[in-house]
Amino acid sequence: MSKGVAITGMGIVSSIGNSVEENLNALLQSKHGISKISSIKTRHIDEIMVGEIDLSNEELIKQLNLPESQNYSRTALLGVVAAKQAVENAGISDINDCRTGLISATSVGGMDMTEKYYYQYLEDETNHKYIGGHHAGDSTHKIAEQLGITDFVTTISTACSSSANAIMLGARMIKAGKLDRVVVGGADCLSKFTINGFKTLMILSDTYCKPFDNDRTGLNLGEAAAFLILESDEIVAKENKKVLAYVSGYGNANDAFHQTASSENGEGATLAMQKAFKVSGILPEQIDYINAHGTATPNNDLSESIAIQRVFGSKIPDLSSTKGFTGHTLAAAAAIEAVYSILAIQHNLIFPNLNFNTAIAETGIVPVTKVKEKQINYVLSNSFGFGGNCSTLIFSKN
Amino acid sequence: MKNCYINGLGCVSAQKTTESGFLDDIVFYDTNILPVINPNYKEYIPPAAARRMAKGVKMGVVASSLALKDAHVEVPDAIITGTGMGCLQDSEKFVSAIIDNDEEFLTPTSFIQSTHNTVGAQIALGLQCKAYNFTYVHSAISFESCLIDAQMKFNEDEASTILVGGVDEHGKHTNDLHHLIGHIKKEEAGNTDLINSKTEGSIFGEGAIFCTLSDEQTEHSYAKLVDVEIYSQLSEEHLESRIKTFLEANKLSIEDIDLIVLGNNGDLTFDSYYKTIEEGIFKNTQQVYYKHLSGEFNTASAFGFWLASKIIKKQEIPTLVKINDQPKKIYKNVLLYNQYRGENHSLVVLQSC
């Protein structure tokens, strides 16, 4: 059994903090980041709650020292901040001292600028610099430029499982010997596009989301970015690197059921978890904590619960969804939850599932609702997206 | 290392590529927007389902069906899709609806379709394929990222047949904007003499090109996929040395390359990358290009991949793709090079089986 791929650094910005430290503190204090929309001009300002990051674009541009001519979308700005933190955390002084790649994930990309200037572009040239930044690869390209990565740079977009798949690809590339080091993660900012999109699907909660609660009413959207540094065993040994945790297993499967809904029997999710166990070589009973996808939509939480029951039988490990803290940050969700999974391993802690009262009638699963201390060796993290995309990652201490 | 063979192809493009000929009846355009020649979608998709599908999904379903059928595969062990913009028309529809109606009276259909992985997901749904399903969305190297992933999947013993494709559709508003910023040529250039264009920008196309890859060779195999590399940044001066290093890693020299397939798109500023090697290390090599036939789009290089695979199998080069005229030889080792606006470069080596 291989011990997996070493994680040597991480960085994060979310609605509960602009660093790993701040995120950990908020998790420990059960302090969520959900509030009414303040930074986006929308007619739904009073009816929708989101997880916003308390830094304006102007502040981020200043923090990153970007020139006047910059054409960064908010996704790119958040991504660069988190990725730079991760590189610093891993103690990397020269990013090109070995074969380094970047795999990022996003779903909205530069949509925030597109929706802002959509018709104005046709009228005057003021904001034409943003036109080329609409496509999903643009934020990744900018992160690569800021980090100095010039070769292997790509972007994955599989809706809400995107950054799980970025982490998975990175781990596979290290194992295959194609890269020595890879920055993996994802970024998504809030936009009218996603706010209205999820609203039309009628899966937005009008109050704080309640993952795994019988009376859950939908999700809160959020914005975030998080990145991990994965390094080969050779680099870790050569530089005597501190390893935060390992990517021990991973699996992706397709539910092949419906474009936006999960199947009743959680088929795709079950397959993803089973594949992750196969790669990891561990057994379900070795999992100490499940960081669930748990979006708090009626459909997801039931389907995921059933899948968990299928995989774990009657012995379901401690479980929580941290989306009550951050909201659902779409393509970034799996990356920020990877950071939380690693923190769980490092500090032997389980973070609470906020706003839970009553177990789902069909499954009776009760999540952990208060911070819980216990030895954590293995964490399983689920992320599922539109198009039936189901991904599972397993992180380990040793 | 496991081998990776191209066992099936399907191509929906601005040329008659779903028909039996091999670019022997070229379609010429006098505009800068090349639409696909629509196949008879009804042959592949029930009309009721087709009405709900985005153009990209329909093209993708047809191209993937053709690629699977060509390889005699029913359900692949993985589906890996590349797309620069996803179902762009639905993205445009949803953004304009938000603005035009001030966020009221919206319906979810176009939002759902706009998700980048819709094409890969809809193919999986149609085939009831529960396997690995990834979508890469990184500009000009979206398709090549899929190829790299697929090669690794074979080596991981996770698959023996993989459906890989590239798909992008036109979006009118987006094309208008790219015209405004000069990424589409200001003047109506058409596609007859694109390679000799003396202006900036390109002509835009759309299409869906899928292939069935397998770790086993069959009597129908087109070619072997030897290696793929992508580079986010690469300067013109380092291009030749990068190519040499890449070839050496595959135990090949410049002289071993019998054919080079280039991504020239008629943009005076950036075609200089291709010029460098056309007049440099590959001066004496047969050179072909294809974007005058397909138009430029994020996954247009998949059309180049389709072209190269066909040339290797048929051992003939359609006249209208030739850049130069070298004496005919056996096309064994073929190198593909593409970039867009000086960024996101890719190198691919194919070999005859």
Side-chain angles (χ1 to χ4, degrees):
Chain A
M1 189 175 86
S2 97
K3 66 177 183 294
V5 176
I7 303 162
T8 58
M10 55 184 177
I12 184 170
V13 273
S14 78
S15 63
I16 59 167
N18 300 328
S19 65
V20 171
E21 196 93 89
E22 284 180 22
N23 273 266
L24 176 60
N25 287 337
L27 290 167
L28 289 173
Q29 292 161 26
S30 295
K31 214 174 126 190
H32 69 78
I34 309 298
S35 58
K36 284 190 174 164
I37 303 172
S38 69
S39 63
I40 292 179
K41 277 195 195 128
T42 164
R43 69 179 302 126
H44 309 304
I45 198 146
D46 289 321
E47 46 178 321
I48 291 175
M49 316 216 26
V50 294
E52 279 177 326
I53 291 167
D54 62 359
L55 289 167
S56 68
N57 285 3
E58 292 68 32
E59 286 170 309
L60 290 162
I61 289 164
K62 208 174 152 201
Q63 185 185 328
L64 294 170
N65 245 324
L66 299 175
E68 186 87 357
S69 59
Q70 64 80 25
N71 65 341
Y72 281 54
S73 65
R74 187 166 171 82
T75 299
L77 292 169
L78 299 174
V80 172
V81 170
K84 281 193 165 179
Q85 281 179 21
V87 169
E88 196 190 326
N89 183 228
I92 297 162
S93 51
D94 176 6
I95 196 96
N96 290 314
D97 59 6
C98 63
R99 292 171 305 165
T100 303
L102 168 67
I103 304 161
S104 186
T106 185
S107 67
V108 304
M111 185 55 88
D112 57 329
M113 295 304 170
T114 302
E115 66 188 22
K116 212 167 170 182
Y117 304 126
Y118 197 69
Y119 291 126
Q120 198 204 324
Y121 285 145
L122 301 173
E123 287 157 14
D124 63 67
E125 292 185 5
T126 332
N127 292 300
H128 276 189
K129 63 180 181 178
Y130 290 109
I131 293 175
H134 170 80
H135 69 94
D138 180 72
S139 53
T140 312
H141 195 80
K142 290 188 161 77
I143 297 165
E145 266 177 359
Q146 288 285 326
L147 299 182
I149 299 171
T150 56
D151 291 351
F152 189 91
V153 176
T154 194
T155 311
I156 293 175
S157 193
T158 53
C160 305
S161 57
S162 301
S163 55
N165 293 339
I167 295 168
M168 191 180 311
L169 179 71
R172 289 168 56 215
M173 295 210 53
I174 298 275
K175 277 195 190 174
K178 283 183 172 278
L179 292 172
D180 304 309
R181 175 194 293 140
V182 57
V183 183
V184 291
D188 255 339
C189 67
L190 282 164
S191 65
K192 287 210 283 198
F193 192 87
T194 39
I195 290 169
N196 283 287
F198 282 92
K199 190 175 158 58
T200 62
L201 287 166
M202 296 187 285
I203 51 176
L204 286 185
S205 170
D206 52 7
T207 178
Y208 301 112
C209 73
K210 301 159 84 168
F212 293 105
D213 192 281
N214 196 51
D215 304 315
R216 62 201 181 281
T217 54
L219 57 86
N220 301 134
L221 285 172
E223 58 182 355
F227 285 88
L228 309 179
I229 309 293
L230 307 183
E231 291 185 308
S232 70
D233 292 343
E234 291 73 27
I235 299 288
V236 168
K238 197 174 91 187
E239 298 179 17
N240 198 16
K241 278 281 180 74
K242 185 186 168 197
V243 177
L244 310 179
Y246 293 88
V247 180
S248 155
Y250 40 77
N252 172 271
N254 197 280
D255 207 27
F257 172 72
H258 186 273
Q259 184 61 28
T260 54
S262 302
S263 59
E264 279 174 35
N265 64 356
E267 179 74 1
T270 304
L271 291 170
M273 286 187 268
Q274 287 169 343
K275 283 185 182 181
F277 279 114
K278 196 177 155 208
V279 171
S280 177
I282 66 160
L283 296 167
E285 53 259 40
Q286 289 176 267
I287 296 294
D288 302 298
Y289 166 47
I290 297 174
N291 184 296
H293 187 51
T295 57
T297 63
N299 177 243
N300 176 79
D301 292 8
L302 178 59
S303 176
E304 184 175 9
S305 296
I306 288 167
I308 288 170
Q309 285 181 329
R310 281 176 68 182
V311 173
F312 291 90
S314 57
K315 288 187 199 143
I316 294 174
D318 284 333
L319 162 159
S320 71
S321 158
T322 45
K323 293 209 167 55
F325 285 92
T326 58
H328 186 3
T329 60
L330 308 180
I336 68 168
E337 286 157 27
V339 171
Y340 299 161
S341 299
I342 296 162
L343 285 171
I345 288 170
Q346 284 184 304
H347 300 273
N348 294 306
L349 287 171
I350 292 172
F351 306 116
N353 186 108
L354 301 180
N355 314 320
F356 173 86
N357 291 310
T358 318
I360 296 173
E362 293 90 333
T363 59
I365 292 179
V366 177
V368 174
T369 54
K370 288 204 171 67
V371 176
K372 179 173 172 179
E373 284 185 47
K374 93 177 215 196
Q375 175 70 25
I376 310 265
N377 294 319
Y378 289 100
V379 178
L380 179 144
S381 177
N382 281 333
S383 297
F384 312 133
F386 281 2
N389 207 282
C390 300
S391 294
T392 300
L393 299 172
I394 297 174
F395 298 97
S396 66
K397 185 168 272 172
N398 297 308
Chain B
M1 269 295 266
K2 284 211 172 173
N3 286 327
C4 175
Y5 298 95
I6 302 153
N7 286 355
L9 292 170
C11 179
V12 176
S13 74
Q15 300 300 323
K16 297 174 181 170
T17 44
T18 56
E19 295 168 18
S20 57
F22 178 37
L23 299 178
D24 45 11
D25 182 12
I26 297 290
V27 182
F28 293 99
Y29 297 85
D30 49 18
T31 61
N32 292 346
I33 304 296
L34 279 53
V36 296
I37 295 172
N38 285 313
N40 187 2
Y41 291 114
K42 279 186 215 148
E43 285 175 27
Y44 305 87
I45 311 162
R51 270 197 299 279
R52 290 195 303 271
M53 282 181 180
K55 177 91 178 271
V57 173
K58 284 200 281 188
M59 295 191 297
V61 167
V62 172
S64 60
S65 308
L66 290 169
L68 289 171
K69 201 174 150 203
D70 195 19
H72 306 283
V73 169
E74 280 183 19
V75 182
D77 303 320
I79 298 173
I80 312 177
T81 314
T83 178
M85 306 293 268
C87 295
L88 182 58
Q89 291 170 19
D90 283 282
S91 299
E92 291 186 357
K93 219 183 280 175
F94 199 65
V95 180
S96 52
I98 289 172
I99 303 171
D100 298 347
N101 305 318
D102 193 21
E103 302 183 75
E104 286 188 294
F105 320 116
L106 298 167
T107 54
T109 314
S110 55
F111 174 68
I112 294 167
Q113 300 256 16
S114 76
T115 316
H116 284 90
N117 63 330
T118 303
V119 177
Q122 287 288 322
I123 293 171
L125 195 55
L127 296 171
Q128 279 300 296
C129 175
K130 292 177 180 169
Y132 180 89
N133 195 311
F134 265 32
T135 299
Y136 290 90
V137 295
H138 197 86
S139 183
I141 53 92
S142 303
F143 176 70
E144 288 71 18
S145 298
C146 301
L147 295 176
I148 292 171
D149 187 344
Q151 275 200 315
M152 284 200 298
K153 274 271 158 231
F154 290 128
N155 287 327
E156 291 160 4
D157 276 327
E158 289 258 328
S160 64
T161 57
I162 303 181
L163 182 65
V164 165
V167 54
D168 274 295
E169 63 178 28
H170 280 302
K172 189 183 177 301
H173 189 83
T174 306
N175 280 345
D176 288 347
L177 297 183
H178 282 264
H179 186 254
L180 274 180
I181 56 173
H183 291 190
I184 295 177
K185 286 183 183 298
K186 296 279 182 189
E187 77 289 359
E188 291 288 8
N191 70 339
T192 42
D193 197 27
L194 190 69
I195 201 160
N196 295 315
S197 174
K198 295 284 177 283
T199 58
E200 291 183 344
S202 186
I203 60 174
F204 273 22
E206 60 178 355
I209 302 97
F210 275 78
C211 59
T212 306
L213 301 179
S214 172
D215 57 357
E216 276 177 43
Q217 187 181 347
T218 71
E219 53 188 305
H220 306 288
S221 295
Y222 288 83
K224 189 166 114 180
L225 171 62
V226 178
D227 201 4
V228 189
E229 268 192 13
I230 56 175
Y231 318 96
S232 177
Q233 305 281 359
L234 185 56
S235 66
E236 266 179 59
E237 54 177 314
H238 288 122
L239 176 59
E240 293 198 337
S241 64
R242 217 53 215 259
I243 291 174
K244 281 181 193 160
T245 312
F246 173 70
L247 291 178
E248 275 162 23
N250 289 291
K251 300 188 173 58
L252 292 167
S253 67
I254 301 292
E255 293 69 37
D256 290 328
I257 299 302
D258 307 301
L259 175 71
I260 176 156
V261 180
L262 298 170
N264 303 53
N265 67 6
D267 186 322
L268 181 68
T269 313
F270 299 103
D271 272 3
S272 53
Y273 274 92
Y274 304 111
K275 210 64 184 189
T276 302
I277 55 175
E278 283 164 28
E279 293 169 359
I281 50 176
F282 293 111
K283 195 172 59 184
N284 299 319
T285 310
Q286 178 62 50
Q287 306 157 0
V288 302
Y289 82 125
Y290 53 89
K291 284 185 186 159
H292 56 315
L293 305 182
S294 64
E296 176 65 277
F297 52 102
N298 285 298
T299 45
S301 56
F303 187 91
F305 184 87
W306 171 88
L307 174 68
S309 306
K310 287 272 216 188
I311 291 175
I312 292 171
K313 185 166 179 178
K314 289 179 178 282
Q315 288 294 316
E316 68 174 62
I317 302 177
T319 316
L320 279 166
V321 300
K322 285 184 178 179
I323 295 175
N324 59 357
D325 231 330
Q326 293 288 329
K328 187 169 163 50
K329 61 188 291 199
I330 291 168
Y331 305 111
K332 180 166 185 258
N333 296 305
V334 177
L335 178 70
L336 292 83
Y337 168 58
N338 184 55
Q339 50 84 18
Y340 183 58
R341 300 188 68 79
E343 293 175 338
N344 295 312
H345 306 253
S346 61
L347 292 171
V348 179
V349 176
L350 301 183
Q351 204 165 58
S352 59
C353 298

